[in-house]
Amino acid sequence: MKKTLLLLATLGCSICWASTNATTVTINLGPPGRVTGGKIVSFSDLGDLQLNGQTVSLDLVFSGNSFVRLFKSTNSTFLLLPMLDLFGAGTINNPTGSGYLFDKAGNPINSVTSFGGSVTTDPGGEGFRLALGGFYPLLADGTGGPADIYGAHLDITMPHGSAFNVTGGELGLFPNALQPWHNKFQIGDVPDSGCTLLLAFVAVVLLFSLEAAMRRCPQSQRQPQP
């Protein structure tokens, strides 16, 4: 029993330590709205991030309590892809590690599903994007869809790349669909459109018009003939 309590206490301390030592990166997704196609947003707050093989923890949090909402019709291969912007010459591996998306309460939604690979640049040096890991929330756990996504946590080991510099970061949101109805997602809360309100208004007007017409119709015409 004592060993169990000691193990739980150690695990709890480890979780608290990992959380307090994560670097928070705030990402502005832009104004609320429904999006058709892909969307890429830039972020900074990376500090003096180096590529020397160290392990880092990152909390990618959407500013203004914003979130990413996926629809039932959104393509199942929707990809949320955090990336680093690098500049350098030679070959560099992608980071490796683990991570998860989280909901409004900070609870994990699903884990990262892709790491690995490498990038080779021009001998004279060039800028490029290096994937930190890809999330496919609609393919996770067979649930058919996550809650609204409020951010992502990553525990990653950076590659060794002294010849490369981190110049920034980007977050890609890619439905990866050809059909317009599968190629949509939403940023933040979006009120009903004017078109929806107009249809409701027209329906109410037609209902009252029908009722008025029925009242004007003679009672004898409304009763079935024997």
Side-chain angles (χ1 to χ4, degrees), residues 26-212:
T26 303
I27 301 177
N28 184 355
L29 294 175
R34 294 182 176 91
V35 181
T36 300
K39 181 181 179 73
I40 297 178
V41 293
S42 299
F43 60 84
S44 53
D45 299 329
L46 292 170
D48 188 22
L49 184 61
Q50 303 295 316
L51 304 176
N52 56 17
Q54 81 280 25
T55 299
V56 298
S57 293
L58 300 175
D59 284 329
L60 309 181
V61 180
F62 304 142
S63 63
N65 206 31
S66 187
F67 55 86
V68 175
R69 174 171 292 166
L70 307 182
F71 305 123
K72 289 183 178 179
S73 61
T74 303
N75 190 28
S76 60
T77 59
F78 178 93
L79 171 64
L80 188 147
L81 182 67
M83 301 169 282
L84 291 179
D85 291 330
L86 302 185
F87 185 90
T91 298
I92 186 171
N93 294 324
N94 281 347
T96 58
S98 61
Y100 56 84
L101 302 175
F102 54 82
D103 60 17
K104 187 174 184 179
N107 299 317
I109 295 175
N110 74 286
S111 59
V112 68
T113 58
S114 67
F115 275 115
S118 62
V119 175
T120 299
T121 66
D122 186 89
E126 60 183 300
F128 62 97
R129 294 169 180 163
L130 190 71
L132 292 175
F135 297 89
Y136 294 92
L138 291 178
L139 296 178
D141 306 324
T143 59
D148 295 335
I149 301 167
Y150 279 78
H153 175 83
L154 290 166
D155 293 305
I156 54 179
T157 299
M158 305 303 294
H160 290 276
S162 58
F164 296 87
N165 296 318
V166 178
T167 60
E170 293 179 311
L171 178 68
L173 304 167
F174 305 117
N176 296 319
L178 296 177
Q179 301 86 354
W181 54 91
H182 292 320
N183 210 28
K184 295 180 182 292
F185 61 97
Q186 182 172 305
I187 301 296
D189 283 317
V190 179
D192 287 335
S193 66
C195 180
T196 302
L197 295 177
L198 177 61
L199 289 176
F201 175 76
V202 171
V204 171
V205 171
L206 290 175
L207 180 62
F208 278 105
S209 298
L210 178 61
E211 183 179 0

Side-chain angles (χ1 to χ4, degrees), residues 1-15:
M1 183 65 179
K2 290 183 179 180
K3 290 183 178 180
T4 302
L5 291 176
L6 180 60
L7 177 61
L8 291 175
T10 303
L11 178 60
C13 291
S14 299
I15 293 175

